[in-house]
Amino acid sequence: MIFILLAFALSLYAQMRVSSAFRKYSQLPASSGLSGAQVAQRILALNAIHDVEVVSQPGSLVDHYDPSAKRLVLSEENYHGQSVAALGIAAHECGHAIQHARLYAPLQWRMAAVGITTLAGNMIPIAALGGMFLAPKLVLPILAVAFGIVTLFQLITLPVEFDATARAKAILAETGAVGPGEEYRGMEKVLDAAALTYVAAFLSALASFLHYLLPLLVGGRSDEE
Ligand SMILES: [Zn+2]
């Protein structure tokens, strides 16, 4: 229970860090004068990726790479923006497109696990609700398995996200899209804060998994005694 609260606190802290880093460094323009969309298009071209389209979408921090549609989605702010935060996020999403093009194994595993994880995620509220009215003993194993699947998915997500961020930092420095010194450090802070949210999501899932798994293990042992 303490572990769940700690993981929850870390999630809140990570979210706050992302918003504050993004707020701060979306005000710091990159000296290259490039927009997020321009940087994304350049990075894709440099990596000989010609079948990924870069599009903008309304909303804040909706940025993602959709491997099934081969679409790199940037929020309007990051698509048009010329800040080090916008360029960092655009380059990070390009990192995912490069992973996809090069068949980076953890991304392949993650894509394969999306279906069952969505199913597990949908099962959790249904099972939890059922557990309140029906036999909780029946529901406990279902929740343990469902959170186990979600935990595994969040674990596979970690190398995918860290690798995309490492690629982004290297490419932005090499191409000079983000200047050295303050610009680079600002971009780094935004991406590192974002990476921390994935660590927090993993720990939260792990805490819930253990919360439902441990009573089963303890219960099983006392039955044997
Ligand atoms: Zn990512």
Side-chain angles (χ1 to χ4, degrees):
M1 203 62 201
I2 292 168
F3 193 41
I4 290 187
L5 287 176
L6 280 177
F8 183 67
L10 181 68
S11 300
L12 282 182
Y13 170 73
Q15 291 297 340
M16 274 165 48
R17 276 261 309 259
V18 170
S19 340
S20 84
F22 184 77
R23 244 196 331 269
K24 185 167 177 193
Y25 294 108
S26 60
Q27 304 300 321
L28 180 66
S31 48
S32 65
L34 297 167
S35 69
Q38 285 171 326
V39 158
Q41 266 138 9
R42 283 186 183 201
I43 293 173
L44 293 177
L46 271 176
N47 285 277
I49 298 170
H50 305 293
D51 54 353
V52 169
E53 62 167 340
V54 181
V55 299
S56 75
Q57 188 179 303
S60 131
L61 299 180
V62 291
D63 313 76
H64 67 278
Y65 171 67
D66 177 357
S68 57
K70 291 200 167 188
R71 187 177 295 145
L72 200 153
V73 179
L74 296 176
S75 63
E76 281 170 351
E77 190 178 3
N78 291 334
Y79 186 94
H80 300 288
Q82 300 170 344
S83 68
V84 296
L87 303 197
I89 290 168
H92 171 93
E93 300 310 336
C94 287
H96 290 311
I98 296 168
Q99 290 171 341
H100 191 203
R102 306 221 175 127
L103 304 175
Y104 176 69
L107 181 70
Q108 304 286 313
W109 304 334
R110 191 178 185 275
M111 284 164 64
V114 166
I116 187 156
T117 306
T118 307
L119 185 70
N122 291 337
M123 284 293 294
I124 288 168
I126 297 170
L129 202 66
M132 290 198 293
F133 302 108
L134 307 167
K137 273 194 176 172
L138 215 69
V139 171
L140 216 54
I142 299 175
L143 283 174
V145 170
F147 273 112
I149 292 168
V150 174
T151 303
L152 204 61
F153 184 77
Q154 298 292 359
L155 182 65
I156 303 170
T157 299
L158 294 181
V160 176
E161 294 304 328
F162 280 100
D163 177 79
T165 284
R167 287 177 200 264
K169 289 177 184 174
I171 296 169
L172 289 175
E174 277 164 26
T175 58
V178 165
E182 196 195 359
E183 288 186 29
Y184 185 87
R185 279 197 300 277
M187 173 273 291
E188 197 172 37
K189 275 183 185 160
V190 172
L191 294 187
D192 289 348
L196 187 64
T197 64
Y198 290 102
V199 175
F202 164 66
L203 290 176
S204 297
L206 180 65
S208 299
F209 173 53
L210 293 176
H211 177 71
Y212 292 108
L213 181 72
L214 292 182
L216 287 176
L217 297 180
V218 172
R221 209 173 297 140
S222 60
D223 285 349
E224 284 160 24
E225 278 163 5

